[in-house]
Amino acid sequence: MFKLRIGVVITFTALAGLAVSSGPSLSLLQLLVLTLSVLISSASAGAFNQYYEHDSDLLMSRTRQRPFVTGELRHEPVWLLVIAALMTLSVGAAWFALNAWSALFVFLGAFFYAVVYTVWLKRRTWLNIVFGGLAGSWAVLAGATAADPQPGAIPLTLALVLFLWTPPHFWSLAIAFRDDYAAAGVPMLPVVVGDQQAANTIFFSTLALVAASLLPLAFGLGMIYFAGAFAGGFLFIQKAWRLTRDPCRKSAMICFHASLIQLTLVLFGAILDTQSGF
């Protein structure tokens, strides 16, 4: 119900934002509050997404086993109160233990996924995931501003990386499940323009992403970060290029998993480089 795998990824991006911030170190309690605030806010957004989309989830093989679809959880308004309470708790805790800026970005991350993406854009335009993908960018800034309310160049460039990463990552999955999205009436890019054009867009989007992932080198990150960004970027570009040659489900899923590896290497590289000082 709470999409905790996505929540863990979002939380990891927030911790990466904290790691590359130039602000003072957080106390153990503050670090715990940041981690749980981002995780719980993401979980509340994920729960709202499933509550709101229980009808369309029934039409998709990938989602028809979700608890609101199967009846494991009854689709009742009380869940909206639970979701709102979790959101209020996470934002309030960040405000109290950290600062207002970090709390704002915690809120924006959940708001963009639950409202901007799920309610406003998903069924209206293929640009849904482009703007909905800002959820990850806000998480980076939530972590960075927890230590320093004025984020520096490196956290801002990592937020840009997250913004550019989400579309090719998700469009790869959308190619693999294009028939599902078409059946549910969701205008994901492959549904609108076809698999081949979507694959071409993924490739050029990946080039822009990898170029942006090298920007932190201009602001102080070093060889450890370069190694992670280069290795991950090379892998993602390679798989995206292969997807343009054969835009099938198998190639799309390979590209999807390559995007996860690329992001992991970029974020781990940023964290390790900052902490090592090499």
Side-chain angles (χ1 to χ4, degrees):
M1 173 181 172
F2 292 108
K3 297 190 173 183
L4 290 180
R5 285 181 296 180
I6 296 176
V8 169
V9 173
I10 293 294
T11 303
F12 182 39
T13 66
L15 295 177
L18 172 65
V20 300
S21 173
S22 59
S25 299
L26 301 185
S27 68
L28 182 59
L29 177 59
Q30 289 176 313
L31 180 61
L32 181 62
V33 169
L34 173 64
T35 301
L36 292 178
S37 292
V38 174
L39 182 61
I40 292 172
S41 66
S42 175
S44 68
F48 178 81
N49 173 270
Q50 293 200 32
Y51 180 90
Y52 186 83
E53 296 191 328
H54 76 286
D55 53 347
S56 59
D57 280 348
L58 178 63
L59 304 174
M60 300 174 61
S61 60
R62 187 173 66 91
T63 57
R64 63 176 52 136
Q65 295 303 315
R66 288 177 174 175
F68 285 124
V69 179
T70 63
E72 184 179 356
L73 295 177
R74 297 183 63 181
H75 189 263
E76 297 177 334
V78 66
W79 285 110
L80 294 177
L81 295 177
V82 173
I83 292 167
L86 290 173
M87 188 67 221
T88 302
L89 175 65
S90 62
V91 174
W95 194 324
F96 180 78
L98 302 170
N99 57 63
W101 280 108
S102 186
L104 173 63
F105 290 126
V106 168
F107 168 77
L108 286 176
F111 178 79
F112 266 72
Y113 184 75
V115 179
V116 174
Y117 170 66
T118 301
V119 178
W120 292 349
L121 299 179
K122 187 170 184 178
R123 290 178 172 84
R124 291 182 171 89
T125 172
W126 64 271
L127 292 170
N128 45 27
I129 200 60
V130 175
F131 297 105
L134 278 168
S137 300
W138 299 134
V140 172
L141 296 179
T145 55
D148 185 352
Q150 296 183 337
I154 294 177
L156 290 173
T157 54
L158 283 185
L160 174 63
V161 168
L162 262 295
F163 175 69
L164 295 175
W165 174 83
T166 305
H169 163 75
F170 201 88
W171 287 335
S172 299
L173 186 68
I175 289 179
F177 292 94
R178 176 176 53 82
D179 291 343
D180 270 3
Y181 286 113
V186 178
M188 288 299 175
L189 184 64
V191 177
V192 176
V193 303
D195 290 349
Q196 183 62 63
Q197 187 59 44
N200 294 341
T201 304
I202 288 169
F203 176 71
F204 288 111
S205 298
T206 302
L207 292 180
L209 161 66
V210 174
S213 74
L214 299 178
L215 287 176
L217 295 170
F219 300 105
L221 292 189
M223 290 305 299
I224 294 177
Y225 177 78
F226 173 76
F230 179 82
F234 180 81
L235 176 67
F236 197 2
I237 289 174
Q238 181 190 42
K239 302 308 180 186
W241 172 251
R242 289 186 178 180
L243 181 60
T244 66
R245 302 296 91 191
D246 182 21
C248 65
R249 178 187 175 91
K250 180 180 178 181
S251 298
M253 289 306 298
I254 290 174
C255 190
F256 172 78
H257 289 113
S259 71
L260 292 170
I261 295 172
Q262 187 264 347
L263 180 64
T264 300
L265 290 175
V266 164
L267 295 180
F268 264 124
I271 294 171
L272 293 176
D273 196 286
T274 304
Q275 300 306 310
S276 70
F278 177 69

